[in-house]
Amino acid sequence: ISLSAREVQIYNLVFPNMSDQESREAIRYKLVQLKPFGLDINQVEFRYLKSDGFLAKKSTQQRYLVVCASKDVIQQKIASFKEFGLKVTAVEFEPLALINISKLAGAPASAKDQLVLWFDMGARESFLVIESGGLAHFVRTISLASQNLTQQIQDAMRIPQEEAENAKQNFGLSAWVPEKPPGTIIKTAEPPKKAEGPETSVYNSLVSTLENLLIDIEHSFKYFSYQITQSEIKNFDSLVLSGGGAKLKNLENYLNEKLG
């Protein structure tokens, strides 16, 4: 079974270098203070990943990505499977499982000295993962989801939800074109403007939301850089798109242009 990004609370903790046993005790003590979901520590299940590779080499301290979930939520999921005679053997956390699945699918793992951003846009939930060498170092839920895009089109174009969903799938960002750099070419008289087509209407209804997405991605990376690595990491090497929302036409070109 899997837990979505919204069903867990994630913490990035930093401690001096210590043994594995001491690390677990230090993390548990910190969670007692943080109270994930407002719960007592005995009502919480937690697991942690220790930073590895170039992030670890650049610091005398040890960083941990800690994932917490309510024991009640996990038990409810297990119970629903037991009703069908199925035995749960593992509980996965979707953002981390995504990285593992990419390996099983034959995708090349990033080098340990490279930093990769994963952006997964699902129908109801989106999240960002910062990964290096196959290990996640940072996870954040993103407010934008594919259903939000459909709602934006529906509201802007004043059409039923089904038509808005079809318009999103058919047109996406096909009306977007890269910004032209300033030049010295003399402009000729512009031809009369044509009536706005559906692809332009769809793009115009999404553009402000997509600009907010860019801000979310950039702020997430800046937080990771300044707060977690103390500005040791200045930029990332690539961005991986996944989820149904990644099918939005021209999205990869839009992000290439805007994120450089």
Side-chain angles (χ1 to χ4, degrees), residues 151-221:
Q151 187 65 49
Q152 292 278 358
I153 296 170
Q154 182 180 356
D155 293 344
M157 298 178 66
R158 299 180 181 179
I159 55 178
Q161 182 180 11
E162 186 175 350
E163 288 184 28
E165 178 66 25
N166 289 335
K168 179 184 72 176
Q169 294 185 22
N170 291 333
F171 303 113
L173 305 182
S174 56
W176 174 80
V177 291
E179 295 176 8
K180 295 180 180 179
T184 56
I185 299 173
I186 299 173
K187 290 185 178 181
T188 58
E190 295 184 0
K193 290 185 177 181
K194 297 180 181 178
E196 186 176 279
E199 57 278 318
T200 304
S201 298
V202 169
Y203 170 70
N204 288 340
S205 64
L206 298 180
V207 63
S208 62
T209 303
L210 292 168
E211 287 173 354
N212 289 334
L213 168 63
L214 292 169
I215 293 171
D216 255 352
I217 292 175
E218 290 175 343
H219 282 190
S220 295
F221 183 74

Side-chain angles (χ1 to χ4, degrees), residues 1 73-83 86 88 91:
I1 59 175
V73 170
I74 294 173
Q75 290 303 322
Q76 288 169 14
K77 287 177 176 278
I78 291 174
S80 65
F81 276 76
K82 281 184 177 179
E83 291 179 7
L86 298 172
V88 174
V91 180

Side-chain angles (χ1 to χ4, degrees), residues 16-257:
N17 287 321
M18 58 181 73
S19 69
D20 289 343
Q21 179 61 33
E22 289 172 327
S23 298
R24 182 171 179 83
E25 290 174 0
I27 291 170
R28 191 179 193 281
Y29 178 73
K30 187 66 176 177
L31 293 179
V32 169
Q33 299 174 307
L34 292 170
K35 291 184 73 70
F37 305 101
L39 298 174
D40 182 85
I41 189 64
N42 295 320
Q43 298 172 290
V44 174
E45 195 75 51
F46 72 91
R47 295 291 185 273
Y48 60 90
L49 295 172
K50 184 165 65 173
S51 292
D52 195 5
F54 76 119
L55 285 179
K57 292 176 184 176
K58 288 175 177 284
S59 176
T60 57
Q61 296 179 309
Q62 187 61 62
R63 301 183 179 92
Y64 297 87
L65 178 75
V66 184
V67 181
C68 304
S70 162
K71 286 184 177 179
D72 281 347
V73 170
I74 294 173
Q75 290 303 322
Q76 288 169 14
K77 287 177 176 278
I78 291 174
S80 65
F81 276 76
K82 281 184 177 179
E83 291 179 7
F84 295 95
L86 298 172
K87 180 182 178 181
V88 174
T89 59
V91 180
E92 287 281 4
F93 172 41
E94 285 181 9
L96 305 187
L98 181 68
I99 295 173
N100 293 334
I101 272 185
S102 74
K103 299 174 193 173
L104 293 174
S110 66
K112 285 194 174 183
D113 61 348
Q114 290 188 330
L115 210 67
V116 178
L117 267 64
W118 292 68
F119 175 55
D120 183 277
M121 181 158 58
R124 293 178 296 276
E125 175 183 86
S126 299
F127 54 81
L128 190 74
V129 184
I130 297 179
E131 174 255 339
S132 174
L135 185 67
H137 299 282
F138 177 84
V139 181
R140 183 188 171 197
T141 302
I142 300 293
S143 58
L144 172 67
S146 188
Q147 284 185 348
N148 301 138
L149 300 182
T150 304
Q151 187 65 49
Q152 292 278 358
I153 296 170
Q154 182 180 356
D155 293 344
M157 298 178 66
R158 299 180 181 179
I159 55 178
Q161 182 180 11
E162 186 175 350
E163 288 184 28
E165 178 66 25
N166 289 335
K168 179 184 72 176
Q169 294 185 22
N170 291 333
F171 303 113
L173 305 182
S174 56
W176 174 80
V177 291
E179 295 176 8
K180 295 180 180 179
T184 56
I185 299 173
I186 299 173
K187 290 185 178 181
T188 58
E190 295 184 0
K193 290 185 177 181
K194 297 180 181 178
E196 186 176 279
E199 57 278 318
T200 304
S201 298
V202 169
Y203 170 70
N204 288 340
S205 64
L206 298 180
V207 63
S208 62
T209 303
L210 292 168
E211 287 173 354
N212 289 334
L213 168 63
L214 292 169
I215 293 171
D216 255 352
I217 292 175
E218 290 175 343
H219 282 190
S220 295
F221 183 74
K222 285 179 180 177
Y223 176 84
F224 171 79
S225 176
Y226 299 151
Q227 299 297 324
I228 297 176
T229 73
Q230 283 78 54
S231 299
E232 292 169 1
I233 310 299
K234 299 295 185 182
N235 47 53
F236 56 93
D237 297 285
S238 59
L239 175 72
V240 179
L241 295 176
S242 61
K247 296 178 181 179
L248 192 71
K249 288 183 179 179
N250 223 15
L251 176 62
E252 68 278 15
N253 294 325
Y254 176 84
L255 292 176
N256 283 344
E257 171 81 10

